Amino acid sequence: NFFISDFNEMSENRIHFSSVFDKKVKGFPVTFEMSFDNYLNYNSQQKLSNLKSKSVQMIAFMPNINFRKYGVDFNFGLGLDYASEVGFDPFPRIIGTKELVKDILIFSFGVQDDKYRNTYKVLSDINPYIHTLSTNQSIIERDTLLDLRTTEAKEIFFNLCNSLGYNDIWSATITYGFVENLPYFDNNFNSAYNRFLVYYLDLWQLKLSSSYSREISQILDFNINAEYYNWGSAKISHMPNLVIDASFPINLRDKIICIPELKYFGSETAFIRHDYVLSSRMLLDLSFQYNYSSNLSISLSLRNLTNSQKELWRDYKEIGFSGNMSVIYS
């Protein structure tokens, strides 16, 4: 895989290459994964004269092997990561899978390493109101750059997947580990231009997640996902502890598809000068698609049907009810 991306007129570029090689060695499946990323910032023609271009390289190698021992299927790999900012960072990946009841109950566990680069693109996808000096915005008084770092989570996990019946599946996962440079947002009070800066914490994180899906009938399904986070005594701005997402897809022979979706976000804390609490939010969305033929379809998306206008980010409220319609022809 190879791609090059440009974010906002050369303000941020990314060059990416990755490859996977599979081969059996003495009967054992062996996989070799590798990737290269070059992140380039501040190349815009409108950048500040005293702002130098920045380039961060990340190289990752992961040789791994699959084998079976004690009735458990194991995947063992050794991640050899290099980042130009911090140097080498080796870490093992071990995943074990055991079928406790054939085709019904599966248990998996292991140690894993998850690493990603926080970029203007990644952060703006999460929070559209981030501070964007050096990305072709006007220069304002007492301005500052957004701090871009690499986030890494080294975790142990346990997962249980249970088939309760035909098309009736429940799954639960417990993940615990140390997160380096966990990103969160808070207002930039140093400037009259009210945007968000990103901050980072190193902490231990407990994550509980569960999902359930069921085919109620030939036309109606039910899906629900929940995530709960615990960071001990640490305070993290604009990050809810609990997120729940439930949907009820209705499918009439792939001709008419309707999906009501209910989302819940727990209360959040926002702070710099003093604690500020954003109340919990519940949103109801509805999407509708009519496939007239294999070439022509019409879709309608209605968001926030209850017209909730609570604060999404500090000093930024939800826009309330909104929608869009599209006609697609191919």
Side-chain angles (χ1 to χ4, degrees):
N1 301 291
F2 174 75
F3 71 81
I4 300 175
S5 67
D6 171 43
F7 183 64
N8 199 16
E9 301 177 34
M10 296 187 67
S11 295
E12 178 174 83
N13 301 95
R14 180 185 176 188
I15 302 173
H16 170 86
F17 173 78
S18 60
S19 181
V20 179
F21 176 75
D22 292 297
K23 182 178 178 61
K24 279 196 173 183
V25 179
K26 295 184 178 181
F28 293 100
V30 175
T31 303
F32 183 80
E33 306 170 22
M34 67 87 61
S35 66
F36 168 79
D37 285 285
N38 190 13
Y39 298 93
L40 302 102
N41 289 99
Y42 318 132
N43 294 306
S44 169
Q45 294 181 356
Q46 297 184 23
K47 69 178 182 179
L48 294 171
S49 59
N50 60 347
L51 185 61
K52 296 181 180 179
S53 298
K54 182 179 180 181
S55 177
V56 175
Q57 295 81 36
M58 297 178 66
I59 304 173
F61 297 95
M62 172 68 79
N64 60 80
I65 185 171
N66 297 307
F67 59 94
R68 186 174 178 83
K69 193 74 172 179
Y70 309 115
V72 180
D73 293 317
F74 284 99
N75 176 274
F76 175 77
L78 179 61
L80 303 172
D81 298 341
Y82 170 80
S84 58
E85 289 183 320
V86 296
F88 283 98
D89 182 27
F91 193 79
R93 181 180 69 185
I94 305 172
I95 299 176
T97 304
K98 173 70 174 179
E99 197 171 34
L100 302 177
V101 180
K102 184 174 176 58
D103 298 328
I104 295 179
L105 191 62
I106 299 176
F107 176 68
S108 59
F109 60 93
V111 178
Q112 60 188 5
D113 179 25
D114 183 25
K115 179 182 294 185
Y116 66 91
R117 179 74 180 170
N118 291 286
T119 65
Y120 279 105
K121 176 63 170 64
V122 169
L123 296 173
S124 65
D125 284 344
I126 301 171
N127 183 349
Y129 310 111
I130 62 170
H131 192 62
T132 53
L133 174 66
S134 79
T135 57
N136 297 344
Q137 73 167 46
S138 299
I139 306 305
I140 57 177
E141 188 179 356
R142 298 194 304 275
D143 221 340
T144 182
L145 286 173
L146 204 64
D147 189 9
L148 303 177
R149 302 185 188 180
T150 300
T151 298
E152 182 175 17
K154 298 177 179 179
E155 308 165 320
I156 59 172
F157 74 91
F158 303 91
N159 173 265
L160 189 65
C161 185
N162 188 8
S163 179
L164 303 174
Y166 179 71
N167 289 334
D168 190 5
I169 300 174
W170 170 75
S171 176
T173 304
I174 300 176
T175 305
Y176 182 72
F178 185 75
V179 183
E180 183 179 1
N181 292 327
L182 177 71
Y184 67 94
F185 300 95
D186 212 341
N187 299 68
N188 178 17
F189 288 109
N190 293 324
S191 168
Y193 184 55
N194 185 23
R195 286 294 193 249
F196 287 85
L197 296 177
V198 62
Y199 299 88
Y200 300 91
L201 277 178
D202 297 341
L203 46 72
W204 291 90
Q205 174 179 271
L206 172 67
K207 178 183 177 182
L208 307 177
S209 59
S210 181
S211 64
Y212 174 74
S213 62
R214 181 180 180 183
E215 184 180 298
I216 299 175
S217 66
Q218 291 183 344
I219 64 171
L220 179 63
D221 293 345
F222 172 66
N223 303 303
I224 185 169
N225 301 284
E227 292 183 348
Y228 171 78
Y229 295 87
N230 187 290
W231 301 288
S233 59
K235 284 187 175 182
I236 304 179
S237 174
H238 289 94
M239 289 189 68
N241 289 87
L242 180 63
V243 179
I244 301 175
D245 184 347
S247 62
F248 303 84
I250 303 170
N251 190 328
L252 301 175
R253 298 183 179 180
D254 293 328
K255 196 74 173 178
I256 299 176
I257 302 173
C258 180
I259 306 178
E261 185 175 15
L262 186 66
K263 301 176 183 178
Y264 172 82
F265 302 88
S267 60
E268 307 170 30
T269 299
F271 61 90
I272 280 187
R273 295 177 180 173
H274 58 273
D275 287 356
Y276 185 92
V277 177
L278 279 63
S279 60
S280 60
R281 299 178 291 115
M282 186 174 292
L283 302 177
L284 178 60
D285 300 337
L286 178 65
S287 62
F288 174 87
Q289 181 170 330
Y290 172 57
N291 298 314
Y292 178 78
S293 67
S294 60
N295 304 100
L296 179 64
S297 64
I298 300 173
S299 66
L300 175 66
S301 176
L302 303 175
R303 293 179 293 273
N304 196 357
L305 292 174
T306 59
N307 197 34
S308 170
Q309 296 186 23
K310 294 183 178 180
E311 281 184 297
L312 179 65
W313 301 91
R314 182 170 180 174
D315 299 328
Y316 290 90
K317 293 183 178 181
E318 296 164 335
I319 63 173
F321 171 74
S322 64
N324 66 276
M325 185 178 73
S326 62
V327 178
I328 303 170
Y329 176 78
S330 61

